Amino acid sequence: MLVSPSFPGLLLLTSFLLHVKEGHARPMGPVCDNRLIQKYIGEAKDMEKRVSECQAIPTLSCPVVLPLVDFNMRQWKSKSDEIKWREILCNLVLLVDAVTEAQGQVSQECGAGQLSQLYRHANSFLLLLQTFGWEEGPWEPGCSPRSTEQTQVTEIFLTYRQLVQGKLRFFFHNLAKDSCN
């Protein structure tokens, strides 16, 4: 699934791409500047807090499928960067799809606005990671990450925060060891 980025998404993607180092196929901004990933973690926490403060967000009538983004640190460290990258892409595809499905079910203004913001953020990360590309070939859709069905909108935001705070943060940290001065 490839969707055209919104204006904020374009700004995020542009800021990442401006940090691409010569000889590297990957944007170095979020990798080499830890402040960026910390900023995105803070934004994920803020979105999660704001959606929890929305009044009367209904339970979703049709459950959405969310990736299970928890991980074992020992197993995570043993994976190659490409495997981690593919796993995160799969998680993001499932998350973006879940947000899209939830958007079709939530008409309440506060919840709908927060879902739109979450969609822009998650889709921007998806677009960014698709630019990384590994030499073995481009990422292809069709992955099947571990998942769960949820009917609570707040669980979508929790999943996004956990993904950014966990796998994405550690993925960028690991790349920094190999790519940054």
Side-chain angles (χ1 to χ4, degrees), residues 31-49:
V31 173
C32 295
D33 188 349
N34 189 46
R35 295 172 299 180
L36 282 174
I37 194 65
Q38 293 305 321
K39 176 183 180 274
Y40 303 132
I41 291 169
E43 289 172 351
K45 289 177 180 179
D46 289 344
M47 285 190 292
E48 185 180 17
K49 182 176 187 266

Side-chain angles (χ1 to χ4, degrees), residues 8-9 11-12 15-16 35-51 114 117-118 120-122 124-125 157-158 160-162 164-165:
L11 287 175
L12 177 65
S15 73
F16 288 148
R35 295 172 299 180
L36 282 174
I37 194 65
Q38 293 305 321
K39 176 183 180 274
Y40 303 132
I41 291 169
E43 289 172 351
K45 289 177 180 179
D46 289 344
M47 285 190 292
E48 185 180 17
K49 182 176 187 266
R50 282 194 305 274
V51 80
Q114 292 304 312
Q117 183 180 13
L118 177 58
R120 288 189 303 272
H121 282 249
S124 293
F125 270 120
F157 288 83
L158 172 64
Y160 175 72
R161 179 189 49 82
Q162 289 174 333
V164 173
Q165 198 169 7

Side-chain angles (χ1 to χ4, degrees), residues 10-21 25-30 127-128 131-132:
L10 280 173
L11 287 175
L12 177 65
L13 187 58
T14 301
S15 73
F16 288 148
L17 294 176
L18 287 174
H19 289 90
V20 175
K21 287 190 174 181
R26 300 178 198 118
M28 295 293 105
L127 291 170
L128 168 73
T131 68
F132 276 42

Side-chain angles (χ1 to χ4, degrees), residues 144-162:
S144 300
R146 295 180 311 123
S147 61
T148 183
E149 290 188 348
Q150 288 291 336
T151 58
Q152 299 298 319
V153 172
T154 53
E155 290 296 317
I156 301 170
F157 288 83
L158 172 64
T159 299
Y160 175 72
R161 179 189 49 82
Q162 289 174 333

Side-chain angles (χ1 to χ4, degrees), residues 87-143:
E87 189 173 313
I88 294 168
L89 277 173
C90 287
N91 291 160
L92 282 167
V93 166
L94 203 55
L95 183 64
V96 167
D97 287 347
V99 173
T100 302
E101 289 177 37
Q103 284 177 309
Q105 298 181 53
V106 176
S107 58
Q108 187 255 11
E109 188 177 329
C110 179
Q114 292 304 312
L115 282 166
S116 291
Q117 183 180 13
L118 177 58
Y119 176 86
R120 288 189 303 272
H121 282 249
N123 195 54
S124 293
F125 270 120
L126 180 59
L127 291 170
L128 168 73
L129 288 175
Q130 286 175 336
T131 68
F132 276 42
W134 255 259
E135 293 173 9
E136 286 76 14
W139 173 74
E140 295 179 13
C143 56

